[in-house]
Amino acid sequence: MKLYNTLTRTKEQFVPLQAGKVKMYACGITVSGEAHIGHGYQALIYDIMRKFLEKQGFEVTYARNYTDVDDKIIAKSKETGIPADKYAADMIKKIDGVMSLFDVDEPSLWLKATENIDNIIDFIQKLIEGGHAYAVPCGDVYFDVTSFKRYGCLSNRSVEDMLDGVRVENGEEKRCPADFALWKSAKQGEICWDSPWGKGRPGWHIECSAMNRKAFGEQIDIHGGGRDLIFPHHENEIAQSESLTGKQFAKYWTHNGLIKVNGQKMSKSLGNSLLLEDLLKEYTNEAIKFALLETNYRNDINITDGIFDEAEKHLSSFYKIISDVEDKFGKGGKGNGEIDKRFDEVMSDDFNTALALSDLFGIFKKVSAKLGAGDKSCADDVNQIRKTYSLLGIFKKDAKEYFAEVNKKHPEEISDEAKKLAEERWQAKKDKNWAQADALRLKLDELGYTVKDSKDGYTLSKK
């Protein structure tokens, strides 16, 4: 199995620090606002990585964090009048609810900055004792980047390059403009904790290093996050952690691409943030996942008009074949090892979800041909598709459940004429007027609709 390591800029054979076991950490959400599509995408990618590693037989301990105290959260607290700790707790609860609707599994460990203050203070004290950090009279503590010779190893930047454009804020007492805050002295009315340097709170970068150390010890196998975190966040994590331990912090660094909207970087300032909660009101979680996973995780994703509609269309065509196969031959076929083998082969090359999804079009074409020929082995194929591709978060629903959800989210797509014809057809079936029922089904087909019968009634959907 190979994965791309940002640290070396190459694909490497994956060999964990301890045979058979993987320690994996991904930077989570800073809870200053609601979850957007980028947050959902990052959570999805690392959930898939964890699951595929487990599929390959590894025992994975996967941790994610919530940054629940930082400058942005304090600013929101001042803006709303809600205490920072309560604001963060309320936002975490809301984000958890949205993520459950998106159907991404919980990590093995949830870590929060505010639950690790003593651990963070201990970490900072040891850095000061080792000559890698220093306190200033106002109560701030900074990391001395010149004390760590490998600073810039992840982002391939030199300290001199980093100094270009660096601005020292009023009141900062840094030895070097590139030095970064480990502990920030509290301003009047801000959330704070006692420390050897006075009341204050942790800097952003130290949180992840300290939480990793507490959860996993001195080293981990995989550290992940969005590509925008390479510098300064992940660069600073390496400096802090390796200065403290003298050991390589993370063996493999993985970074997912960023979300763009119609070619522009998604940001609040541009007003183009796509809230995950809003998207889930309009599309199934499987359609959103399908659209996101059609791009290799290391590349940026450009969200254009119609991208989720197109994904819903593809999924609906696949679910239609699944429905037809399961209706004719039942559920729970034996499986098809070739489909699973190909999936493993593709995903073992740096989690290539784009190719895995591309394979589905050929797979379903064969399934459809088998169904038309009355070949029962198509049921084995469908069972394997469900089992294998559920790792990507798709084909987890009953077909009727899926189509009912699509129809509920897009009721305007079914015309009044189609609804009327469907009702007439259902009545014709109840009257055992089979010729009339078949004629009405043909009319619906010509209008672009599929009608699916069951003992409880029928479902009507767009093709």
Side-chain angles (χ1 to χ4, degrees):
M1 178 179 164
K2 293 184 178 181
L3 72 164
Y4 184 85
N5 189 351
T6 306
L7 187 65
T8 60
R9 300 297 195 273
T10 58
K11 279 186 190 177
E12 299 179 10
Q13 195 72 29
F14 179 67
V15 181
L17 294 165
Q18 183 180 352
K21 295 187 177 183
V22 178
K23 294 185 285 188
M24 175 176 160
Y25 179 92
C27 290
I29 302 174
T30 298
V31 294
S32 56
E34 297 182 44
H36 55 61
I37 184 63
H39 296 138
Y41 175 56
Q42 197 250 32
L44 173 64
I45 284 298
Y46 287 98
D47 182 45
I48 287 171
M49 287 186 184
R50 180 260 297 269
K51 287 175 179 172
F52 187 70
L53 287 165
E54 289 175 338
K55 189 173 190 287
Q56 300 310 297
F58 293 105
E59 180 186 329
V60 182
T61 305
Y62 167 43
R64 287 180 67 80
N65 79 299
Y66 271 128
T67 296
D68 56 350
V69 58
D70 85 328
D71 294 342
K72 293 178 181 178
I73 293 168
I74 289 171
K76 282 289 187 180
S77 171
K78 291 177 180 177
E79 178 186 321
T80 61
I82 302 170
D85 54 349
K86 186 179 187 309
Y87 179 89
D90 290 347
M91 193 57 69
I92 287 172
K93 186 176 180 181
K94 184 167 186 179
I95 291 169
D96 283 345
V98 174
M99 286 298 182
S100 69
L101 294 174
F102 192 45
D103 191 25
V104 174
D105 286 352
E106 296 278 327
S108 315
L109 300 169
W110 268 120
L111 306 174
K112 295 177 184 176
T114 58
E115 295 175 357
N116 281 270
I117 298 299
D118 289 344
N119 179 34
I120 290 168
I121 289 172
D122 177 68
F123 198 115
I124 296 171
Q125 283 180 310
K126 285 182 168 60
L127 287 175
I128 292 174
E129 291 166 8
H132 295 286
Y134 57 94
V136 297
C138 71
D140 294 336
V141 182
Y142 293 100
F143 183 87
D144 179 2
V145 298
T146 64
S147 74
F148 182 66
K149 303 306 178 187
R150 294 180 61 239
Y151 194 69
C153 61
L154 186 66
S155 59
N156 284 340
R157 300 184 185 191
S158 66
V159 174
E160 290 73 23
D161 290 338
M162 296 173 198
L163 291 175
D164 289 340
V166 171
R167 184 181 67 182
V168 178
E169 300 289 343
N170 290 334
E172 289 186 329
E173 302 173 62
K174 298 180 180 181
R175 294 175 184 172
C176 171
D179 293 349
F180 56 88
L182 301 174
W183 187 261
K184 295 186 175 185
S185 56
K187 296 181 176 66
Q188 185 65 36
E190 289 184 350
I191 187 172
C192 61
W193 291 264
D194 290 326
S195 81
W197 319 286
K199 291 185 179 296
R201 57 190 168 84
W204 175 34
H205 312 299
I206 193 65
E207 296 175 357
C208 288
S209 286
M211 288 188 288
N212 259 293
R213 179 168 170 255
K214 184 177 181 181
F216 294 121
E218 295 180 335
Q219 294 179 290
I220 61 172
D221 295 288
I222 300 173
H223 195 311
R227 197 176 64 241
D228 55 333
L229 298 182
I230 294 174
F231 183 84
H233 187 50
H234 289 167
E235 193 74 74
N236 292 348
E237 279 192 66
I238 290 174
Q240 296 160 164
S241 295
E242 297 188 7
S243 291
L244 183 71
T245 68
K247 298 178 181 178
Q248 184 180 34
F249 173 37
K251 190 173 181 181
Y252 304 95
W253 287 86
T254 61
H255 293 92
N256 60 275
L258 307 181
I259 300 288
K260 294 182 177 180
V261 179
N262 292 319
Q264 286 187 306
K265 181 181 177 181
M266 188 175 68
S267 70
K268 290 180 182 178
S269 61
L270 292 174
N272 63 354
S273 290
L274 298 175
L275 295 183
L276 188 56
E277 183 179 23
D278 292 342
L279 285 171
L280 286 166
K281 290 175 182 175
E282 193 168 353
Y283 301 100
T284 64
N285 58 43
E286 292 197 8
I288 297 171
K289 291 173 185 176
F290 193 99
L292 295 173
L293 296 176
E294 284 188 294
T295 299
N296 183 286
Y297 81 92
R298 289 192 286 115
N299 297 333
D300 290 345
I301 298 176
N302 189 24
I303 304 295
T304 56
D305 295 339
I307 188 173
F308 299 115
D309 295 290
E310 188 70 15
E312 201 89 84
K313 179 181 175 183
H314 291 321
L315 271 176
S316 293
S317 68
F318 294 152
Y319 263 112
K320 176 64 168 64
I321 295 171
I322 288 173
S323 177
D324 289 345
V325 169
E326 291 179 342
D327 279 355
K328 187 167 185 177
F329 297 112
K331 298 180 181 180
K334 295 177 183 177
N336 181 334
E338 288 303 310
I339 291 173
D340 196 57
K341 181 181 177 182
R342 169 62 179 172
F343 180 85
D344 283 356
E345 176 188 319
V346 167
M347 289 290 288
S348 290
D349 185 10
D350 197 30
F351 308 104
N352 195 340
T353 62
L355 186 51
L357 290 186
S358 177
D359 283 346
L360 282 173
F361 293 89
I363 292 170
F364 273 103
K365 186 175 181 180
K366 291 178 181 178
V367 171
S368 185
K370 286 183 179 181
L371 176 64
D375 184 345
K376 289 184 177 181
S377 69
C378 63
D380 298 334
D381 296 342
V382 164
N383 186 49
Q384 191 65 61
I385 291 166
R386 280 194 176 278
K387 185 176 180 181
T388 297
Y389 279 83
S390 64
L391 189 146
L392 302 184
I394 57 177
F395 305 127
K396 296 175 71 174
K397 297 183 171 91
D398 178 80
K400 274 187 280 189
E401 176 192 352
Y402 172 80
F403 285 117
E405 186 179 352
V406 171
N407 292 339
K408 186 177 179 181
K409 290 178 185 293
H410 302 283
E412 72 282 355
E413 293 186 0
I414 300 176
S415 68
D416 290 339
E417 179 185 6
K419 291 176 184 176
K420 182 173 181 293
L421 289 171
E423 280 296 315
E424 289 176 359
R425 177 186 168 279
W426 185 246
Q427 186 59 50
K429 286 200 71 174
K430 287 200 274 189
D431 295 340
K432 298 186 178 181
N433 187 343
W434 312 122
Q436 176 71 358
D438 288 344
L440 290 167
R441 179 191 281 276
L442 185 60
K443 282 188 179 181
L444 286 165
D445 184 69
E446 290 169 352
L447 289 172
Y449 293 91
T450 297
V451 63
K452 185 83 179 132
D453 294 328
S454 71
K455 62 180 181 180
D456 302 316
Y458 67 87
T459 56
L460 183 66
S461 60
K462 288 281 285 184
K463 288 185 181 178

